[in-house]
Amino acid sequence: MAFFSTLLVILSSYLHYKKNILARSLKYDFKPKALFIKKNPKNSKIINFKHYNDDLVIKFKDKFKNFSLFFSLFKLLAYGILVGGFLFLQRQNLLFIAGYLSGISAFLMGIFAYMLCVKNE
């Protein structure tokens, strides 16, 4: 239960951030291919970024965009399944805290091992 609910949380975060990155990159006619491939292309474009809002005053619209970037409906549903699974197991007297935490940590350890394997290639 813990492993699959953690998988759902991380998968929802990945899909939401990927969607937002691709949507924002279309404004600038730039598709960030480097996010999805290992090697950078040889003929990559040089992008010059423009500075805006140098006084560091964040507008309400920008605050709302950042808030909605972090909290999506799918991600909140995934966290709800994580908590709901915990409560379901507790009410059925099947909850073993060490097992639940090891299910969550097993998935996270797998992610770190994968990152190390990819980094070494």
Side-chain angles (χ1 to χ4, degrees):
M1 176 71 84
F3 179 81
F4 289 113
S5 57
T6 307
L7 172 69
L8 187 62
V9 167
I10 292 174
L11 180 68
S12 65
S13 297
Y14 169 75
L15 293 175
H16 185 68
Y17 287 129
K18 179 182 170 184
K19 182 184 81 165
N20 281 322
I21 288 170
L22 290 176
R24 289 184 183 189
S25 67
L26 291 177
K27 289 181 191 177
Y28 304 106
D29 291 331
F30 172 72
K31 189 164 185 172
K33 294 178 184 176
L35 293 175
F36 309 113
I37 57 175
K38 283 186 182 180
K39 296 181 181 178
N40 292 332
K42 292 180 181 177
N43 299 328
S44 61
K45 295 180 182 178
I46 297 174
I47 300 172
N48 295 323
F49 293 99
K50 295 181 181 178
H51 295 284
Y52 82 101
N53 198 4
D54 288 331
D55 55 356
L56 298 177
V57 176
I58 300 173
K59 299 176 186 175
F60 179 75
K61 184 178 178 182
D62 292 334
K63 286 181 185 179
F64 184 73
K65 277 185 182 178
N66 292 335
F67 180 78
S68 66
L69 179 68
F70 187 71
F71 293 106
S72 69
L73 184 62
F74 188 53
K75 193 186 296 187
L76 290 176
L77 178 69
Y79 280 114
I81 291 173
L82 179 71
V83 172
F86 183 84
L87 292 175
F88 175 76
L89 290 174
Q90 181 185 16
R91 290 191 180 150
Q92 298 296 322
N93 290 329
L94 298 172
L95 181 65
F96 182 60
I97 299 291
Y100 199 78
L101 291 177
S102 66
I104 292 173
S105 62
F107 188 75
L108 297 176
M109 299 273 276
I111 291 173
F112 289 127
Y114 178 76
M115 286 174 27
L116 290 174
C117 290
V118 170
K119 185 178 179 182
N120 290 335
E121 288 183 8

